[in-house]
Amino acid sequence: MRVLVLGGADNEKIPQALRRDHLLYDHVPLPDDVPRPCPAGLYDAALLLTERTGRAASDGVSALLPTLRAGGLSMPLLVVAQRLTARDRIAILDAGADDVLAQPFLLGELLARVRALGRRSPVIQPHLLQAGDLSLDRSHCTLHGPAGEARLSRKELQLLELFLLHAGQVLPRDMLRQKVWGLDNSAAYNAIEVYLSLVRRKLRAIGSQAQIHAERGIGYYLLPTEQPQTATS
């Protein structure tokens, strides 16, 4: 799951909480005018963090949200602000937000709301993904196979999520780069090869027959179980 965090540059607690919950995110400032286009399908949810309070927060967010939506921000959106009245929350929701959370709040509640928004995406991702002889436990970042289990880094987890959700389908390199490394990582093309090598090594370590193959010039795909070779005469 990847989250877009808008604003709140001085708030380190929320990014730290997202990392602890194994949620990938991109953190960008709030736009002064017209936001840059948001690629479709890249994010599962968005957080809008404003430093304004009360009526000023409500008015500012209500004015900004139509512009964000017009710029392609189509994923479910949670707005976080301070000292909001019921009327402020109603205005923000009517302007296009999917949820509102007023400070102070528990970080656990914010994470639960983000996960709930993520479940509104077209494909609901369960905590346990399975294909062939592989089982991926997203909650504990572990991959299980016939010979045991392996711990995964966040990027390894994200790669395997994509491969298991789309087993047998070729995933373009651009899709992998954006989903796992975000929009601004120019070195990600080389990083894809490095992390695929690490994932393949872990597949072998747990005794899996799954294979990750390259489709030249396009991307990569996972065969959950190695296909037997046809004998030739």
Side-chain angles (χ1 to χ4, degrees):
M1 180 176 176
R2 180 173 283 277
V3 179
L4 176 63
V5 181
L6 293 164
D10 297 330
N11 190 331
E12 285 298 323
K13 291 183 179 180
I14 290 177
Q16 289 172 2
L18 293 172
R19 288 194 293 270
R20 285 196 301 270
D21 208 45
H22 308 298
L23 298 176
L24 302 176
Y25 67 91
D26 290 318
H27 196 175
V28 299
L30 285 173
D32 295 324
D33 188 9
V34 179
R36 64 182 178 182
C38 183
L42 176 56
Y43 299 104
D44 302 289
L47 275 172
L48 194 160
L49 312 177
T50 176
E51 302 301 325
R52 298 179 181 180
T53 63
R55 180 67 179 273
S58 171
D59 289 346
V61 171
S62 296
L64 178 62
L65 283 181
T67 304
L68 291 175
R69 292 304 193 191
L73 193 139
S74 59
M75 75 289 294
L77 173 70
L78 169 63
V79 173
V80 179
Q82 300 181 49
R83 296 199 293 273
L84 297 176
T85 66
R87 181 171 296 180
D88 295 330
R89 295 194 296 272
I90 290 170
I92 291 172
L93 291 169
D94 283 343
D98 297 275
D99 196 3
V100 180
L101 185 59
Q103 299 188 42
F105 55 82
L106 295 177
L107 286 172
E109 180 184 0
L110 180 138
L111 293 173
R113 288 173 182 256
V114 170
R115 291 192 296 267
L117 291 180
R119 289 195 293 271
R120 297 185 187 180
S121 61
V123 178
I124 298 177
Q125 299 181 10
H127 285 294
L128 193 65
L129 299 177
Q130 294 180 305
D133 60 6
L134 290 175
S135 177
L136 177 64
D137 187 335
R138 299 173 63 242
S139 299
H140 298 92
C141 294
T142 53
L143 182 67
H144 300 261
E149 70 176 41
R151 293 283 299 176
L152 302 171
S153 69
R154 286 196 306 149
K155 287 184 171 56
E156 291 169 345
L157 173 67
Q158 188 76 355
L159 280 170
L160 281 163
E161 282 180 347
L162 292 170
F163 282 127
L164 289 176
L165 285 169
H166 306 281
Q169 300 178 33
V170 178
L171 304 182
R173 290 173 62 91
D174 274 341
M175 174 188 173
L176 294 175
R177 179 179 65 83
Q178 290 186 356
K179 277 287 193 180
V180 180
W181 282 269
L183 294 174
D184 301 321
N185 195 318
S186 59
Y189 281 115
N190 291 333
I192 290 174
E193 298 290 347
V194 172
Y195 276 90
L196 286 177
S197 177
L198 295 172
V199 169
R200 289 185 177 110
R201 190 180 305 168
K202 290 186 177 180
L203 290 175
R204 292 193 297 269
I206 63 174
S208 174
Q209 294 297 306
Q211 298 285 320
I212 296 175
H213 297 279
E215 190 73 18
R216 188 176 180 86
I218 302 177
Y220 304 88
Y221 64 97
L222 172 77
L223 286 180
T225 304
E226 188 175 13
Q227 302 297 311
Q229 296 184 352
T230 303
T232 58
S233 56

